[in-house]
Amino acid sequence: MAATSYDAAVADACWVVFDFETTGLSVAEGARIVEIGALKLEGGRVTDHLVTLVDPEVPIPPAATAIHGLYWTAATIRNRHTRQKTTVVTG
């Protein structure tokens, strides 16, 4: 299939892609964010990145650690960013 001008515009655009790791699968069931990752893509290349841990202020279930391949423990992230303490990142 031939590339269109739209395809080229999308490929050349600046994008930020986010990835969230959580304590569970459902916010309705109390899942909380424990890690946020972001990649900045420009012209199809990664030009910047961010990874930050978030203290969910609840225990992290072993199943969440197994599903996400998390390498840290609740003790590792204690007192990191919380919902009450937020950080704004600008670039």
Side-chain angles (χ1 to χ4, degrees), residues 11-90:
D12 290 338
C14 179
W15 298 88
V16 177
V17 181
F18 293 94
D19 177 45
F20 296 87
E21 305 300 349
T22 63
T23 60
L25 301 175
S26 170
V27 173
E29 295 176 9
R32 302 264 184 101
I33 296 170
V34 293
E35 184 177 28
I36 301 170
L39 293 176
K40 182 178 181 182
L41 303 158
E42 295 180 278
R45 294 179 177 267
V46 175
T47 59
D48 206 352
H49 72 281
L50 166 78
V51 176
T52 190
L53 300 176
V54 178
D55 183 349
E57 301 176 293
V58 297
I60 300 172
T65 301
I67 289 169
H68 297 304
L70 305 176
Y71 58 89
W72 32 260
T73 65
T76 307
I77 62 171
R78 191 170 292 115
N79 298 318
R80 296 286 182 138
H81 303 289
T82 64
R83 291 185 300 168
Q84 288 73 38
K85 299 185 298 185
T86 59
T87 301
V88 176
V89 178
T90 60

